[in-house]
Amino acid sequence: DNVSKNASILKVGVMKNGDILINGNKSNLKQLKEEFIKLQEKKGEVWYYREAGEGEPPAIIYKVMDILAECKLPITFSSKPDYSDYVGEDGISHPR
C-alpha cells in the first residue's frame, strides 16, 4: 500500500548553501546517518535532490555521499525539488 511504501522512502535534499533536508526538514549529518540506518531496516530507498545540480556542489555533498555509500541504500536522483521525477541511467528526467 501507499502509506507503507512512502514510509520506506527518505527524501534527501542538499541545498547550494550546504543545508541538508530530510523529508523537507533541515537536518545534519548525524541525523542523516541515523535515518539511513532506520531506512536500512525497512529495506527502503533514498530519493535524492541537489539544488543547482549543474553547479559546483557544496563541500558537504561528499560527506552525504560517503554516508549513503556506507549504508548501501538504493538511490534515485531527482532534478526537481518536489521529487516528481527521476534521472534515468540515460541522464534524462522521467516522471516518477
Side-chain angles (χ1 to χ4, degrees):
D1 71 68
N2 247 359
V3 173
S4 60
K5 180 171 170 42
N6 287 341
S8 63
I9 295 169
L10 195 69
K11 296 177 181 175
V12 176
V14 177
M15 303 296 102
K16 61 184 172 189
N17 67 0
D19 284 352
I20 298 170
L21 302 180
I22 298 176
N23 294 333
N25 300 308
K26 195 170 174 185
S27 189
N28 59 45
L29 291 168
K30 182 178 183 292
Q31 290 171 320
L32 186 70
K33 185 163 187 175
E34 289 167 0
E35 290 298 323
F36 282 178
I37 290 167
K38 286 182 207 169
L39 197 61
Q40 279 179 308
E41 293 166 6
K42 296 180 197 173
K43 301 201 180 336
E45 65 182 275
V46 174
W47 290 5
Y48 174 83
Y49 165 76
R50 180 166 69 94
E51 185 179 46
E54 67 289 336
E56 186 66 28
I60 199 155
I61 194 77
Y62 303 107
K63 291 180 180 161
V64 170
M65 288 296 141
D66 284 349
I67 294 170
L68 190 61
E70 182 183 321
C71 293
K72 296 181 174 70
L73 289 164
I75 182 170
T76 57
F77 295 90
S78 182
S79 68
K80 299 182 179 176
D82 66 357
Y83 302 90
S84 63
D85 77 334
Y86 68 95
V87 178
E89 290 180 18
D90 53 10
I92 296 171
S93 168
H94 303 274
R96 205 177 275 282

